[in-house]
Amino acid sequence: RLWFESRFMETCRDVYRFTPEEMQFQDDNWKEFMQQRVPEFFDGLPQIIRRQRAEGGLVCVVSHSYARYIRRDYAAAGLPEPNAVLGWEIGAEHQKPSPEPLERLMQQFDLTPADWWWMISSPASIWRAPPGVILSPRSGAIQTARCGR
């Protein structure tokens, strides 16, 4: 429940009681780790992404990772670059679990909640995601699916 209701940095600060120095250390370690590692996509996910784009669909990524790493990972997997990436750079107060990233994407691409299919692909998201839908007070419900191990 904690992971679903709070944001990562708030959890580090308010629950784990990280000092500002520890917060910076955590961020520096994450950047170093991501510079050295290109994660693999879950089985079947690259095919879904390719088909989505081949059929004229959008691929947008909302992540706690940095956008540059998301783009790098897509390129390393031979996938088309996402149409939009909203990563760590958008600021903690705008990140998931807030509905704001989805609302931004709906506005950017002139979409409604009925136009969306939300794939939850990170192990952390699998645990934090509500089953079936992501609810946005301003945007309505967006259908979800889960993938991963």
Side-chain angles (χ1 to χ4, degrees):
R1 187 166 180 90
L2 170 68
W3 279 104
F4 178 68
E5 293 177 352
S6 66
R7 293 176 176 86
F8 178 73
M9 294 303 281
E10 290 172 351
T11 301
C12 289
R13 185 189 64 233
D14 300 338
V15 176
Y16 302 137
R17 305 275 190 231
F18 282 12
T19 65
E21 294 80 15
E22 290 169 326
M23 297 287 274
Q24 187 60 53
F25 178 79
Q26 172 283 131
D27 190 52
D28 292 344
N29 276 331
W30 175 250
K31 287 177 190 173
E32 181 180 336
F33 176 78
M34 289 306 297
Q35 288 171 0
Q36 299 172 11
R37 180 180 179 268
V38 176
E40 294 181 21
F41 282 80
F42 290 122
D43 293 339
L45 192 54
Q47 293 83 354
I48 292 169
I49 293 168
R50 285 187 192 99
R51 182 175 175 185
Q52 173 73 2
R53 289 297 291 273
E55 294 182 7
L58 299 171
V59 173
C60 301
V61 178
V62 176
S63 176
H64 283 121
S65 190
Y66 288 90
R68 67 181 175 270
Y69 299 135
I70 298 294
R71 289 186 181 95
R72 177 206 60 196
D73 298 346
Y74 270 65
L79 293 170
E81 184 171 340
N83 297 87
V85 179
L86 297 178
W88 188 256
E89 300 85 355
I90 65 173
E93 67 277 6
H94 306 290
Q95 295 170 348
K96 56 185 180 177
S98 168
E100 186 176 334
L102 297 181
E103 293 168 348
R104 283 188 190 190
L105 292 169
M106 283 190 283
Q107 183 176 3
Q108 179 179 349
F109 294 106
D110 194 29
L111 301 169
T112 69
D115 298 324
W116 280 87
W117 181 63
W118 177 262
M119 169 97 41
I120 300 165
S121 62
S122 75
S125 294
I126 291 169
W127 292 111
R128 294 191 329 237
V133 295
I134 293 177
L135 298 176
S136 166
R138 296 180 293 275
S139 300
I142 296 173
Q143 295 301 310
T144 66
R146 293 180 179 164
C147 70
R149 299 177 186 131

